[in-house]
Amino acid sequence: MLRVSFIWTFLLLYPLFSAMPEPAGSLSGVVYDTQTGDSLSWVDIYFDEIQRSGSSGREGRYFIPNIPEGKYTIHINRVGYNESHLHVKIAADENKTLNISLQPQWNESETIVVEDHRTHSHLQEPDIEIDSKKLRRNIEATL
């Protein structure tokens, strides 16, 4: 009888203990430009080993919760910047802070000229000119 009682207790309690979440930590910080010190929005942060990602918000801040304990390689990407790879160790119940700097990537190209040789053209002189620095600074408006 005692044995049957033990088995029933085990069967009833097993789902409760097996459904307990494993201890996890989090990673947060700010992503910024190494040359200007400006915070960078819309930066992708990808964890290779667990195939999870997050991104920085408008002010360059990011927060990635529920990361299982372990060692990870993270890939950091943003248009106009060199990709970065970092190694990070997350402990159970740890709220790790990691500020990340990215180096601008200069993609030089020749000036692009748009011409219209039709007699009834609607093209006018450009209202504005945008160089790579302005484009990088205002990338969220172009995405």
Side-chain angles (χ1 to χ4, degrees), residues 37-58:
D38 293 339
S39 59
L40 297 174
S41 55
W42 320 124
V43 176
D44 293 321
I45 301 162
Y46 180 75
F47 286 76
D48 232 3
E49 293 79 3
I50 57 174
Q51 298 173 351
R52 268 190 67 201
S53 65
S55 63
S56 64
R58 191 174 286 263

Side-chain angles (χ1 to χ4, degrees), residues 78-99:
R78 184 175 190 257
V79 173
Y81 287 84
N82 292 324
E83 182 176 356
S84 181
H85 305 277
L86 299 173
H87 300 283
V88 64
K89 182 178 180 181
I90 305 291
D93 300 322
E94 176 185 20
N95 296 316
K96 189 177 204 77
T97 301
L98 178 64
N99 294 326

Side-chain angles (χ1 to χ4, degrees), residues 4 14-15 18 23 29 32 40 43 63 67 79 121 132 136:
V4 172
Y14 178 75
S18 65
Y32 62 94
L40 297 174
V43 176
F63 176 71
I67 303 168
V79 173
S121 174
S132 61
R136 189 175 300 107

